[in-house]
Amino acid sequence: MNFYAIRAIYLFEMARARRTLMQSVASPVVSTALYFVVFGSAIGSHMVQIEGVSYGAFIVPGMIMLSLLTQSVANASFGIYMPRFSGTIYEIHSAPISYIEIVTGYVGAAASKSVILGLITLAVARLFVDFEILHPFWMIGFLVLTSVTFSLFGFIIGVWADGFEKLQIIPLMIITPLTFLGGTFYSIEMLPPFWQTATLLNPVVYLVSGFRWSFYGVSDVSVAISLGMTLAFLVVCLIAVRWIFKTGYRLKT
């Protein structure tokens, strides 16, 4: 394992985040704060508790997950797309670096930035609502696992995209709608029976549900199922990344 190569890629990507703090950190945090002002304070004060949890506190895990998913995909996809766009990807290919080391560097940096942003969002949420974390170990575990999984997914998007427009299609047209419809602002038990069943086809439901369980001990689906679905998606992403480097899909042409 070439740890020098991993460290070089990791530090380069983290330095890029520091150069764009307004875009990487400030913008998502301000957006999340506005969500808490509107939904947590304005609307939440007029809503009853959900499963014994105040509405403002209930949406905290969903809001963190919304920020986590979008930023993980965006950071990883942009990180690998820029070397392809500028042509420096060929320098990486010519270096004595395996695909495992390349992925570890890029995905590790994207996941690190997402975890940091998630923790910052958690601190910002504390300024607006009171909440507790019953299972902090599991909370950190879901945070890291989700960040790594969707950073891998973002890496795949960054390889697939052949223009800046395509980098935005999946996060804006798929990830964000699925997150909003995945129980971010409500419990799926509040839906009619048909829509409860249909919502279970949304993979984000399992992420939000498992993450919310780590806070309050309540969930829409079993925690074991939530963890299993996340791990299954992680395996699928790993298989896809391995195929990309094995075939050289859009990396060598």
PDB file of all heavy atoms in Angstrom, residues 179-199:
ATOM      1  N   THR A 179     -34.402  12.133  -0.820  1.00  0.00           N
ATOM      2  CA  THR A 179     -34.190  12.483   0.577  1.00  0.00           C
ATOM      3  C   THR A 179     -35.410  13.184   1.155  1.00  0.00           C
ATOM      4  O   THR A 179     -35.849  12.892   2.278  1.00  0.00           O
ATOM      5  CB  THR A 179     -32.951  13.380   0.726  1.00  0.00           C
ATOM      6  OG1 THR A 179     -31.827  12.731   0.113  1.00  0.00           O
ATOM      7  CG2 THR A 179     -32.629  13.610   2.188  1.00  0.00           C
ATOM      8  N   PHE A 180     -35.982  14.107   0.386  1.00  0.00           N
ATOM      9  CA  PHE A 180     -37.185  14.800   0.859  1.00  0.00           C
ATOM     10  C   PHE A 180     -38.354  13.830   1.029  1.00  0.00           C
ATOM     11  O   PHE A 180     -39.190  14.009   1.923  1.00  0.00           O
ATOM     12  CB  PHE A 180     -37.573  15.902  -0.128  1.00  0.00           C
ATOM     13  CG  PHE A 180     -36.880  17.206   0.133  1.00  0.00           C
ATOM     14  CD1 PHE A 180     -35.656  17.481  -0.464  1.00  0.00           C
ATOM     15  CD2 PHE A 180     -37.435  18.154   0.971  1.00  0.00           C
ATOM     16  CE1 PHE A 180     -35.005  18.687  -0.226  1.00  0.00           C
ATOM     17  CE2 PHE A 180     -36.785  19.353   1.218  1.00  0.00           C
ATOM     18  CZ  PHE A 180     -35.568  19.626   0.619  1.00  0.00           C
ATOM     19  N   LEU A 181     -38.425  12.806   0.165  1.00  0.00           N
ATOM     20  CA  LEU A 181     -39.510  11.834   0.229  1.00  0.00           C
ATOM     21  C   LEU A 181     -39.144  10.616   1.075  1.00  0.00           C
ATOM     22  O   LEU A 181     -39.915   9.653   1.112  1.00  0.00           O
ATOM     23  CB  LEU A 181     -39.878  11.374  -1.187  1.00  0.00           C
ATOM     24  CG  LEU A 181     -40.405  12.469  -2.128  1.00  0.00           C
ATOM     25  CD1 LEU A 181     -40.590  11.907  -3.535  1.00  0.00           C
ATOM     26  CD2 LEU A 181     -41.713  13.044  -1.604  1.00  0.00           C
ATOM     27  N   GLY A 182     -38.000  10.673   1.745  1.00  0.00           N
ATOM     28  CA  GLY A 182     -37.533   9.521   2.518  1.00  0.00           C
ATOM     29  C   GLY A 182     -37.724   9.658   4.014  1.00  0.00           C
ATOM     30  O   GLY A 182     -37.035   8.986   4.785  1.00  0.00           O
ATOM     31  N   GLY A 183     -38.641  10.513   4.443  1.00  0.00           N
ATOM     32  CA  GLY A 183     -38.905  10.657   5.871  1.00  0.00           C
ATOM     33  C   GLY A 183     -38.067  11.695   6.563  1.00  0.00           C
ATOM     34  O   GLY A 183     -37.932  11.668   7.785  1.00  0.00           O
ATOM     35  N   THR A 184     -37.503  12.623   5.787  1.00  0.00           N
ATOM     36  CA  THR A 184     -36.699  13.686   6.388  1.00  0.00           C
ATOM     37  C   THR A 184     -37.535  14.571   7.305  1.00  0.00           C
ATOM     38  O   THR A 184     -37.130  14.904   8.421  1.00  0.00           O
ATOM     39  CB  THR A 184     -36.053  14.549   5.298  1.00  0.00           C
ATOM     40  OG1 THR A 184     -35.187  13.733   4.504  1.00  0.00           O
ATOM     41  CG2 THR A 184     -35.235  15.682   5.900  1.00  0.00           C
ATOM     42  N   PHE A 185     -38.739  14.943   6.844  1.00  0.00           N
ATOM     43  CA  PHE A 185     -39.579  15.871   7.589  1.00  0.00           C
ATOM     44  C   PHE A 185     -40.800  15.200   8.212  1.00  0.00           C
ATOM     45  O   PHE A 185     -41.658  15.892   8.764  1.00  0.00           O
ATOM     46  CB  PHE A 185     -40.053  16.997   6.667  1.00  0.00           C
ATOM     47  CG  PHE A 185     -38.924  17.811   6.094  1.00  0.00           C
ATOM     48  CD1 PHE A 185     -38.532  17.656   4.787  1.00  0.00           C
ATOM     49  CD2 PHE A 185     -38.242  18.732   6.882  1.00  0.00           C
ATOM     50  CE1 PHE A 185     -37.491  18.402   4.253  1.00  0.00           C
ATOM     51  CE2 PHE A 185     -37.201  19.477   6.357  1.00  0.00           C
ATOM     52  CZ  PHE A 185     -36.817  19.316   5.048  1.00  0.00           C
ATOM     53  N   TYR A 186     -40.900  13.887   8.109  1.00  0.00           N
ATOM     54  CA  TYR A 186     -42.080  13.203   8.641  1.00  0.00           C
ATOM     55  C   TYR A 186     -41.758  11.741   8.873  1.00  0.00           C
ATOM     56  O   TYR A 186     -40.721  11.224   8.408  1.00  0.00           O
ATOM     57  CB  TYR A 186     -43.256  13.331   7.663  1.00  0.00           C
ATOM     58  CG  TYR A 186     -42.941  12.799   6.275  1.00  0.00           C
ATOM     59  CD1 TYR A 186     -43.105  11.456   5.954  1.00  0.00           C
ATOM     60  CD2 TYR A 186     -42.444  13.647   5.281  1.00  0.00           C
ATOM     61  CE1 TYR A 186     -42.811  10.969   4.706  1.00  0.00           C
ATOM     62  CE2 TYR A 186     -42.139  13.171   4.023  1.00  0.00           C
ATOM     63  CZ  TYR A 186     -42.336  11.832   3.732  1.00  0.00           C
ATOM     64  OH  TYR A 186     -42.019  11.361   2.483  1.00  0.00           O
ATOM     65  N   SER A 187     -42.652  11.071   9.598  1.00  0.00           N
ATOM     66  CA  SER A 187     -42.569   9.624   9.758  1.00  0.00           C
ATOM     67  C   SER A 187     -43.444   8.988   8.688  1.00  0.00           C
ATOM     68  O   SER A 187     -44.551   9.474   8.407  1.00  0.00           O
ATOM     69  CB  SER A 187     -43.055   9.206  11.145  1.00  0.00           C
ATOM     70  OG  SER A 187     -43.192   7.796  11.227  1.00  0.00           O
ATOM     71  N   ILE A 188     -42.981   7.905   8.095  1.00  0.00           N
ATOM     72  CA  ILE A 188     -43.771   7.287   7.030  1.00  0.00           C
ATOM     73  C   ILE A 188     -45.070   6.688   7.582  1.00  0.00           C
ATOM     74  O   ILE A 188     -45.994   6.395   6.814  1.00  0.00           O
ATOM     75  CB  ILE A 188     -42.961   6.213   6.279  1.00  0.00           C
ATOM     76  CG1 ILE A 188     -42.603   5.043   7.196  1.00  0.00           C
ATOM     77  CG2 ILE A 188     -41.719   6.814   5.659  1.00  0.00           C
ATOM     78  CD1 ILE A 188     -41.952   3.899   6.457  1.00  0.00           C
ATOM     79  N   GLU A 189     -45.158   6.512   8.906  1.00  0.00           N
ATOM     80  CA  GLU A 189     -46.401   6.030   9.496  1.00  0.00           C
ATOM     81  C   GLU A 189     -47.511   7.071   9.397  1.00  0.00           C
ATOM     82  O   GLU A 189     -48.689   6.748   9.604  1.00  0.00           O
ATOM     83  CB  GLU A 189     -46.176   5.649  10.963  1.00  0.00           C
ATOM     84  CG  GLU A 189     -45.233   4.469  11.146  1.00  0.00           C
ATOM     85  CD  GLU A 189     -45.047   4.098  12.598  1.00  0.00           C
ATOM     86  OE1 GLU A 189     -45.621   4.796  13.467  1.00  0.00           O
ATOM     87  OE2 GLU A 189     -44.345   3.109  12.874  1.00  0.00           O
ATOM     88  N   MET A 190     -47.172   8.309   9.084  1.00  0.00           N
ATOM     89  CA  MET A 190     -48.168   9.361   8.906  1.00  0.00           C
ATOM     90  C   MET A 190     -48.825   9.279   7.529  1.00  0.00           C
ATOM     91  O   MET A 190     -49.796   9.992   7.275  1.00  0.00           O
ATOM     92  CB  MET A 190     -47.508  10.730   9.097  1.00  0.00           C
ATOM     93  CG  MET A 190     -46.862  10.919  10.458  1.00  0.00           C
ATOM     94  SD  MET A 190     -45.793  12.394  10.560  1.00  0.00           S
ATOM     95  CE  MET A 190     -47.005  13.706  10.323  1.00  0.00           C
ATOM     96  N   LEU A 191     -48.290   8.440   6.634  1.00  0.00           N
ATOM     97  CA  LEU A 191     -48.803   8.335   5.272  1.00  0.00           C
ATOM     98  C   LEU A 191     -49.910   7.287   5.199  1.00  0.00           C
ATOM     99  O   LEU A 191     -49.998   6.393   6.045  1.00  0.00           O
ATOM    100  CB  LEU A 191     -47.671   7.951   4.320  1.00  0.00           C
ATOM    101  CG  LEU A 191     -46.471   8.902   4.240  1.00  0.00           C
ATOM    102  CD1 LEU A 191     -45.392   8.295   3.356  1.00  0.00           C
ATOM    103  CD2 LEU A 191     -46.889  10.267   3.716  1.00  0.00           C
ATOM    104  N   PRO A 192     -50.761   7.349   4.160  1.00  0.00           N
ATOM    105  CA  PRO A 192     -51.760   6.295   3.935  1.00  0.00           C
ATOM    106  C   PRO A 192     -51.057   4.952   3.683  1.00  0.00           C
ATOM    107  O   PRO A 192     -49.889   4.922   3.277  1.00  0.00           O
ATOM    108  CB  PRO A 192     -52.508   6.782   2.683  1.00  0.00           C
ATOM    109  CG  PRO A 192     -52.271   8.258   2.646  1.00  0.00           C
ATOM    110  CD  PRO A 192     -50.905   8.470   3.227  1.00  0.00           C
ATOM    111  N   PRO A 193     -51.752   3.842   3.916  1.00  0.00           N
ATOM    112  CA  PRO A 193     -51.123   2.509   3.779  1.00  0.00           C
ATOM    113  C   PRO A 193     -50.428   2.285   2.436  1.00  0.00           C
ATOM    114  O   PRO A 193     -49.330   1.733   2.384  1.00  0.00           O
ATOM    115  CB  PRO A 193     -52.304   1.548   3.969  1.00  0.00           C
ATOM    116  CG  PRO A 193     -53.260   2.313   4.832  1.00  0.00           C
ATOM    117  CD  PRO A 193     -53.131   3.743   4.400  1.00  0.00           C
ATOM    118  N   PHE A 194     -51.064   2.708   1.341  1.00  0.00           N
ATOM    119  CA  PHE A 194     -50.452   2.485   0.027  1.00  0.00           C
ATOM    120  C   PHE A 194     -49.117   3.199  -0.085  1.00  0.00           C
ATOM    121  O   PHE A 194     -48.126   2.634  -0.551  1.00  0.00           O
ATOM    122  CB  PHE A 194     -51.395   2.954  -1.087  1.00  0.00           C
ATOM    123  CG  PHE A 194     -50.744   2.952  -2.453  1.00  0.00           C
ATOM    124  CD1 PHE A 194     -50.586   1.770  -3.157  1.00  0.00           C
ATOM    125  CD2 PHE A 194     -50.269   4.134  -3.016  1.00  0.00           C
ATOM    126  CE1 PHE A 194     -49.974   1.756  -4.407  1.00  0.00           C
ATOM    127  CE2 PHE A 194     -49.661   4.135  -4.261  1.00  0.00           C
ATOM    128  CZ  PHE A 194     -49.511   2.948  -4.952  1.00  0.00           C
ATOM    129  N   TRP A 195     -49.075   4.461   0.354  1.00  0.00           N
ATOM    130  CA  TRP A 195     -47.856   5.241   0.228  1.00  0.00           C
ATOM    131  C   TRP A 195     -46.799   4.796   1.223  1.00  0.00           C
ATOM    132  O   TRP A 195     -45.606   4.988   0.985  1.00  0.00           O
ATOM    133  CB  TRP A 195     -48.160   6.727   0.388  1.00  0.00           C
ATOM    134  CG  TRP A 195     -48.920   7.270  -0.783  1.00  0.00           C
ATOM    135  CD1 TRP A 195     -50.212   7.681  -0.810  1.00  0.00           C
ATOM    136  CD2 TRP A 195     -48.422   7.419  -2.119  1.00  0.00           C
ATOM    137  NE1 TRP A 195     -50.565   8.083  -2.087  1.00  0.00           N
ATOM    138  CE2 TRP A 195     -49.478   7.941  -2.901  1.00  0.00           C
ATOM    139  CE3 TRP A 195     -47.202   7.159  -2.732  1.00  0.00           C
ATOM    140  CZ2 TRP A 195     -49.343   8.209  -4.253  1.00  0.00           C
ATOM    141  CZ3 TRP A 195     -47.067   7.432  -4.086  1.00  0.00           C
ATOM    142  CH2 TRP A 195     -48.125   7.946  -4.834  1.00  0.00           C
ATOM    143  N   GLN A 196     -47.215   4.215   2.337  1.00  0.00           N
ATOM    144  CA  GLN A 196     -46.233   3.631   3.249  1.00  0.00           C
ATOM    145  C   GLN A 196     -45.468   2.507   2.562  1.00  0.00           C
ATOM    146  O   GLN A 196     -44.244   2.414   2.662  1.00  0.00           O
ATOM    147  CB  GLN A 196     -46.929   3.089   4.500  1.00  0.00           C
ATOM    148  CG  GLN A 196     -47.455   4.153   5.444  1.00  0.00           C
ATOM    149  CD  GLN A 196     -47.991   3.563   6.726  1.00  0.00           C
ATOM    150  OE1 GLN A 196     -47.544   2.495   7.171  1.00  0.00           O
ATOM    151  NE2 GLN A 196     -48.956   4.229   7.336  1.00  0.00           N
ATOM    152  N   THR A 197     -46.201   1.653   1.860  1.00  0.00           N
ATOM    153  CA  THR A 197     -45.563   0.546   1.140  1.00  0.00           C
ATOM    154  C   THR A 197     -44.701   1.060  -0.007  1.00  0.00           C
ATOM    155  O   THR A 197     -43.568   0.593  -0.220  1.00  0.00           O
ATOM    156  CB  THR A 197     -46.632  -0.413   0.594  1.00  0.00           C
ATOM    157  OG1 THR A 197     -47.452  -0.874   1.666  1.00  0.00           O
ATOM    158  CG2 THR A 197     -45.978  -1.611  -0.090  1.00  0.00           C
ATOM    159  N   ALA A 198     -45.202   2.055  -0.743  1.00  0.00           N
ATOM    160  CA  ALA A 198     -44.444   2.602  -1.868  1.00  0.00           C
ATOM    161  C   ALA A 198     -43.174   3.291  -1.401  1.00  0.00           C
ATOM    162  O   ALA A 198     -42.127   3.211  -2.052  1.00  0.00           O
ATOM    163  CB  ALA A 198     -45.317   3.580  -2.652  1.00  0.00           C
ATOM    164  N   THR A 199     -43.238   3.952  -0.241  1.00  0.00           N
ATOM    165  CA  THR A 199     -42.070   4.669   0.279  1.00  0.00           C
ATOM    166  C   THR A 199     -40.938   3.724   0.640  1.00  0.00           C
ATOM    167  O   THR A 199     -39.763   4.095   0.594  1.00  0.00           O
ATOM    168  CB  THR A 199     -42.470   5.507   1.515  1.00  0.00           C
ATOM    169  OG1 THR A 199     -43.523   6.393   1.145  1.00  0.00           O
ATOM    170  CG2 THR A 199     -41.299   6.326   2.026  1.00  0.00           C
TER     171      THR A 199
END
